[in-house]
Every structure is written in C-alpha cells, then in structure tokens.
Amino acid sequence: MQLSKKVIDLDELSMLAAQGVPDGAGVRSTVSKLLLGHLPNDRSLWAQEMAKKRSEYAPFRDEFPSNPVEIVRQVESEGDHNENAEHADNGLLHRSEYSEIMEQIDRDVKRTHPDMHFFCGDSSFAKSNQESLKNVLLIFTKLNAGIRYVQGMNGISASLFFVFWSDPG
C-alpha cells in the first residue's frame, strides 16, 4: 500500500486516488491531506507537521472572535474609517463588506449538507460543527480579503472538514 511507505510518491498516490479512496481507518483523510499539501510526503515528519498546523490555527481562532458584532468592531478599528472606501488601506474588508460576507457565511453554513446529522439539526454536536465551519470560513475571509468569500466555499470546506474530522489521528 502506498501510504505505508516512508516517503510517499505523490504522483502515484494521485493516480491511485483517482480510482477512489477507501473510507476506513483514516485513509481518505490522510490521502486528502497529502494531495492538498497539508502533509509532507515523508511520513517521519507527519506528527511534527500536524502539531505545527494546529499551533498555527489556534492563534487565528483566538484572535478572530466568532461574535459578529465583535468581528465588525475589530475590522472597523483596524481598517480605514472612511465609509466611502471600498477596502481599508491595510487590505482588510470594510465594515459593510465584512458584515455582508458574515451574513452570507451564516446563511450558507446553516444550509450546508442538510442530509448529514454532522452539520444539521439542533444537536450540540451539529451546532458545534457548524460553528467550527463558520470559524474556518471567517478566518479564511479575514486572511484573504483579496479573494473574498463566495457562495459554495462552505460546501468545499464542509467536505474537507468532515473528512479531516473523521481522521482518528
């Protein structure tokens, strides 16, 4: 099996993955992480790289509040206060743009995969997963003001979130 090698040939893995990736034992998650460049192809570096990625994410999560009022206040205080400006001088979205994007993310996350209990319903589990997905999308939006959030990113992010969450490691 390709994943048991010390150094994984990503071209070979890509060809194998095109034929389908099994669901069990975290295989799909690992293959996705490798092909997306989230993990290095050298297995001996995986634990170190995952620890690094998690430590990089934590400050972003803590820095960007999930309360929409706090986010708008933060964007407003960091950006240009000129209401006519399309973007703040430092590249951050203007308050009105960010509020609009936040509302779009909130709407999209609420209707993400309505067929999956993982994302929908009134359970604390589903609500926690929705909140996590919303945080990922808000952080992406904040860090990538030039790209901006568009409808559909929630579906792509939800798929990756589910696959990565399903990983036992």
Side-chain angles (χ1 to χ4, degrees):
M1 170 181 248
Q2 177 69 7
L3 293 179
S4 62
K5 295 180 180 177
K6 180 177 172 8
V7 177
I8 295 163
D9 181 336
L10 295 179
D11 291 331
E12 183 182 343
L13 181 62
S14 179
M15 288 190 308
L16 290 171
Q19 299 170 22
V21 180
D23 224 1
V27 174
R28 183 172 291 166
S29 172
T30 303
V31 168
S32 296
K33 288 175 186 175
L34 285 162
L35 294 179
L36 291 170
H38 192 71
L39 280 178
N41 64 338
D42 184 338
R43 288 177 55 88
S44 66
L45 301 175
W46 287 4
Q48 176 185 346
E49 187 65 22
M50 288 306 297
K52 178 183 166 199
K53 300 267 189 212
R54 287 184 177 116
S55 70
E56 288 171 347
Y57 175 73
F60 289 132
R61 185 192 61 232
D62 296 340
E63 178 184 342
F64 303 135
S66 58
N67 179 331
V69 173
E70 290 177 41
I71 292 173
V72 169
R73 235 184 254 132
Q74 183 179 5
V75 169
E76 196 171 52
S77 69
E78 291 174 359
D80 181 1
H81 295 286
N82 179 354
E83 286 295 322
N84 296 320
E86 186 174 329
H87 292 282
D89 289 338
N90 59 5
L92 295 173
L93 293 172
H94 195 275
R95 176 187 174 170
S96 62
E97 291 177 300
Y98 204 74
S99 295
E100 185 179 312
I101 290 169
M102 285 174 35
E103 290 171 11
Q104 181 68 49
I105 288 172
D106 191 53
R107 281 192 305 269
D108 289 350
V109 166
K110 286 178 181 172
R111 58 182 179 224
T112 299
H113 293 294
D115 55 326
M116 292 178 66
H117 294 291
F118 187 84
F119 289 111
C120 78
D122 291 329
S123 72
S124 60
F125 177 69
K127 289 191 181 300
S128 172
N129 292 332
Q130 285 181 353
E131 193 63 30
S132 294
L133 180 59
K134 192 185 310 183
N135 287 341
V136 167
L137 293 168
L138 287 171
I139 290 170
F140 175 85
T141 299
K142 175 108 170 151
L143 294 175
N144 299 282
I147 296 173
R148 299 197 55 184
Y149 173 82
V150 294
Q151 188 175 13
M153 286 182 173
N154 63 306
I156 295 166
S157 299
S159 298
L160 291 171
F161 178 67
F162 177 75
V163 168
F164 286 9
W165 180 90
S166 302
D167 183 8

